[in-house]
Each structure stands twice: as structure tokens, then as C-alpha cells.
Amino acid sequence: MKIVVCAKFVPDATADRRFRSEDNTVDRAGVDGLLSELDEYAVETALTVKEAGDAEVTVLTVGPEQAADAVKKGLQMGADAGVHVIDDAIHGSDAVATSLILSKALAKLEADLVVFGMGSTDGSMGVVPAMVSERLGLPAVTLGSEVTVDGQTVRIRRDGDTASDTVEGTLPLVLSVSDQANEPRYPSFKGIMAAKKKPVQTWSLADLEISADQVGGASAWTEVVEVTARPPRSAGTIVTDEDGSGAAELVEFLSTNKFL
């Protein structure tokens, strides 16, 4: 079985994050970045399936040069190979263009099982798995909090606010998992050293037979017109209870600010 995990390189949420002044897109090259935390659950799911049977796991990412770190993390966790799609024309691509690039790469890899996380920690849209499944003409079982692969059948439990349901499909298909699906493993020292010898291919748009005018900011359906920095936090309100009136003052404050 050929399993491909689609992994995204995102700005580190604990570091300095900013937008490019030229076009108001997220600065992915000039800031610290890493494999999206939600995609680690996808990698772990793929590795669990691999360990239960005969499978090969490839980590696929799309992004600038620094996005190679997302592939590296997947290889360190235990994936067998990596593919990095990099091209200057990709900059500014929206979810629609990203799904096109991924679907072309997945078709070239002849994936049997495509695994996504539930969304990215920078965009938080969660629509790309469905878009990719539509482009590939494959069924999709999404937002799985529990995943079982039995031969050619993939079965998930999907948890909602009030109930859970079970969804299943037959390979080949597109799968996405939630952050309840598993507990991603930490790369071991052995895994970190082994990752250095694993094959990583670098593809351009030309390799995928995609023209530059199909992707990038110029073809995006949305545009960020203006960016405003979050204002600094103001000092809080302190209620001093010296004569027993503190409770009433607190209730008045919460009520006035519509916190109650």
C-alpha cells in the first residue's frame, strides 16, 4: 500500500509571525516554522497503518525552501520518503490552487491512501482534503477521531457535539484525522539519524504539468486587502473588597461589559 501524508509547513505560533508588506501574504520564509501540529496526527496515523501491515509512507509538502523541514520531521518520525513541491510561482496560492498542486503530485505518486490532518494551524480552513478528493475522483472519509484499516476498507469514527457516527470507504481514498485520533510519537535519536539517508524528491510546477497562471496570488479567489496589528493588551480592572462591596462591583462590571 502506498500511503501519502500531506503535511504543511507553518509559522511557529510561539515565534514572531507577520505578513509580507508587498502583498499581505503570510511570511513563510522570514520566520521560524515547523510541521503543522495537526499534521503530526496524520503522520502518526500513516505510521500506525504501516506498522500493522505492508505499506510505504511518503510525506508530501508544498512550500518554500524552509518547508523541507516539514518533510524532515515526518521522516524522523518514521516515514520512508519525502516529496517537496517548490516553485516561486506557488507563492500566494489559495486553497483551490493548493488542492490542484497536491492532486497532481498525488496522482504522480499513485497513492492508495492519502492522509491529511483536520486543518492547518495557520489557515484553519480544513477544506483541502475534500477539494483533493474531488479532483482525484476518490471518496473521502474525514475528521476521524478513530481510524481502522482492514484490508481495502478504511473505517473511522467521527465525533460530533452530540453524537458519533461511523463512516467507511474502500481504497483508494482520502482520509483526514482529528487531533483525537492518536498521540504523535517523538522522533527517536535513531529516527533522526535514519532520516538523513531517506530519499527526498524535489518537484517544480513543470514536473506536475501545471502552468504558473493556474496558481499563485494572481489566480487566488481571495485577497488580504489590509492587515492591522493586534493592539497591546490594556491593564485589567482591579476590584478591591474593603467594605464588602467588592462582589456587587464585580457583578456590575461583568454585567456592564456583557460578560454575564
Side-chain angles (χ1 to χ4, degrees):
M1 182 193 306
K2 293 183 179 179
I3 306 175
V4 180
V5 181
C6 295
K8 189 175 184 181
F9 178 77
V10 299
D12 187 347
T14 63
D16 179 32
R17 292 169 293 168
R18 55 181 179 269
F19 292 86
R20 287 163 44 108
S21 58
E22 309 95 288
D23 52 15
N24 289 332
T25 59
V26 176
D27 186 353
R28 301 185 184 279
V31 299
D32 294 332
L34 71 173
L35 169 64
S36 176
E37 178 184 353
L38 295 175
D39 288 340
E40 291 187 12
Y41 297 94
V43 175
E44 180 63 32
T45 297
L47 295 177
T48 301
V49 174
K50 171 189 172 183
E51 292 165 355
D54 183 18
E56 177 181 286
V57 177
T58 298
V59 178
L60 167 65
T61 195
V62 178
E65 184 178 350
Q66 291 83 351
D69 288 345
V71 174
K72 182 190 297 184
K73 178 66 177 291
L75 297 178
Q76 291 174 344
M77 291 175 67
D80 302 293
V83 173
H84 181 189
V85 181
I86 177 172
D87 197 299
D88 290 342
I90 295 175
H91 174 75
S93 294
D94 60 1
V96 177
T98 299
S99 70
L100 171 64
I101 298 168
L102 288 173
S103 62
K104 291 288 188 178
L106 290 165
K108 188 171 181 177
L109 289 167
E110 299 180 330
D112 298 307
L113 176 61
V114 181
V115 190
F116 286 88
M118 63 189 292
S120 62
T121 54
D122 59 345
S124 302
M125 295 183 67
V127 298
V128 173
M131 289 180 170
V132 168
S133 71
E134 177 68 20
R135 288 186 183 277
L136 293 176
L138 297 178
V141 288
T142 57
L143 301 178
S145 56
E146 182 179 280
V147 179
T148 304
V149 178
D150 183 10
Q152 296 295 303
T153 301
V154 177
R155 183 178 298 104
I156 68 166
R157 188 189 76 236
R158 181 188 292 143
D159 296 329
D161 293 334
T162 59
S164 298
D165 59 353
T166 299
V167 183
E168 68 176 39
T170 303
L171 296 175
L173 60 71
V174 174
L175 165 70
S176 75
V177 297
S178 75
D179 55 359
Q180 302 299 312
N182 50 55
E183 186 65 35
R185 67 193 69 185
Y186 290 101
S188 64
F189 177 75
K190 181 179 179 181
I192 293 173
M193 298 306 294
K196 297 179 180 180
K197 299 181 181 180
K198 294 178 179 178
V200 177
Q201 300 182 69
T202 301
W203 292 346
S204 66
L205 290 178
D207 294 321
L208 301 177
E209 299 181 349
I210 299 175
S211 62
D213 60 3
Q214 293 179 279
V215 299
S219 67
W221 287 51
T222 59
E223 178 185 3
V224 177
V225 177
E226 184 179 0
V227 176
T228 303
R230 177 186 296 175
R233 296 183 62 178
S234 58
T237 300
I238 299 177
V239 176
T240 303
D241 188 11
E242 295 180 348
D243 56 1
S245 62
E249 289 184 37
L250 179 58
V251 171
E252 177 64 22
F253 173 81
L254 295 175
S255 177
T256 300
N257 291 276
K258 302 187 184 310
F259 294 142
L260 291 178

